Every structure is written in structure tokens, then in C-alpha cells.
Amino acid sequence: MKKICLIPGIIAIFFLSCEKSSYDELEISMGSVCGWCAGSDSLHITSEKTHYNYTKLCTADFSIDEQTSRKDWDELVDILDIREFEKINLNSCFSCVDGCDTWICINHNSGSHQIRYAYYDSLEISSIRPFIDKLEAIRTSIRSEMPE
């Protein structure tokens, strides 16, 4: 009888271990920085709030706070594979030679990880490309709300 009860337990553990990890207090940030005051921006997203900041030519500053779209948040979290993200160890410095770098930082209850990449790092970030594309789409949408 004990063996019969043990089998459903093992099956349940198997299915639960295959489930995507859940992280409390997830915070996702993305930004870009360019050399010689060419401008920079940052996007900070939680399940409740989105903050965007843009500095143009080291002078003009634009900032916006808004409630995070439930649709955007759900899509972002669904395509985020934190394990895959944390496997990437990049710290480019293309901005050191007057280029631009993009950085992404993910904080959660189990820790945090940040990467910094340039356009030539496309192979290293290919495993998280759908996640990056979604972040960039959110950033572009908010940036379109900026006054000229």
C-alpha cells in the first residue's frame, strides 16, 4: 500500500520540478549608456510600477512614472528565463570608445544578475533575445510619449 501512495508523490514532484521558477519581488531594469554625453536612458519595471528616465546630450532630462501594464508584465515574465539570463556573463564597455552599451539587471528574492552588452554581442545574448525584444518594445513605447 505504501508503494502505491509513493508513486503519485514522485509524479507530483517531477511535474512541480519542471514548472518555471517563480520569484517574488521581481524587478527588471534596462538602460543604455553612450560615450561623450551622447545620451542615456533607463527603464525600471516591477509588477506595479514602470519608471523611465532619459538624458539627452547630458542636459535635458525626461522622466515618466506610470502603472505597469498587466499585459506587458505578464508577457515579460512569461518569456523571461532567469536561469538562462544568469548564465550570461557579459560586461562590455563599448561606451569606453564612444559607442553605446545596453545593460539589463534582474533582481529577485534569490539574488540579482546584470549584463552589459553592445551590438556585437548578439551571439552571447541570443538565448534571451525574445525577452530583450519585449523590454525594448516597452522602452520604445514609453519613449514615444516624450515631448520633443
Side-chain angles (χ1 to χ4, degrees), residues 54-92:
Y54 176 70
T55 302
K56 184 176 181 181
L57 301 174
C58 294
T59 57
D61 203 26
F62 171 79
S63 184
I64 187 169
D65 290 296
E66 59 188 32
Q67 184 175 2
T68 301
S69 156
R70 175 57 47 199
K71 180 180 176 280
D72 283 343
W73 180 256
D74 289 344
E75 287 176 14
L76 200 55
V77 171
D78 283 346
I79 58 177
L80 170 61
D81 184 339
I82 291 179
R83 288 186 190 118
E84 197 61 38
F85 178 76
E86 290 177 341
K87 288 180 190 176
I88 300 170
N89 290 307
L90 274 176
N91 189 16
S92 298

Side-chain angles (χ1 to χ4, degrees), residues 28-33 80-93 100-107 112-118 121-129 131-133 135-136:
I28 302 169
S29 300
M30 174 189 216
S32 63
V33 60
L80 170 61
D81 184 339
I82 291 179
R83 288 186 190 118
E84 197 61 38
F85 178 76
E86 290 177 341
K87 288 180 190 176
I88 300 170
N89 290 307
L90 274 176
N91 189 16
S92 298
C93 194
C100 294
D101 292 315
T102 300
W103 56 267
I104 298 173
C105 182
I106 297 178
N107 295 305
S112 69
H113 185 69
Q114 180 170 332
I115 63 172
R116 183 176 173 133
Y117 60 92
D121 293 315
S122 60
L123 288 176
E124 287 88 5
I125 60 172
S126 62
S127 62
I128 59 166
R129 177 48 66 186
F131 173 72
I132 292 171
D133 290 344
L135 269 177
E136 288 178 347

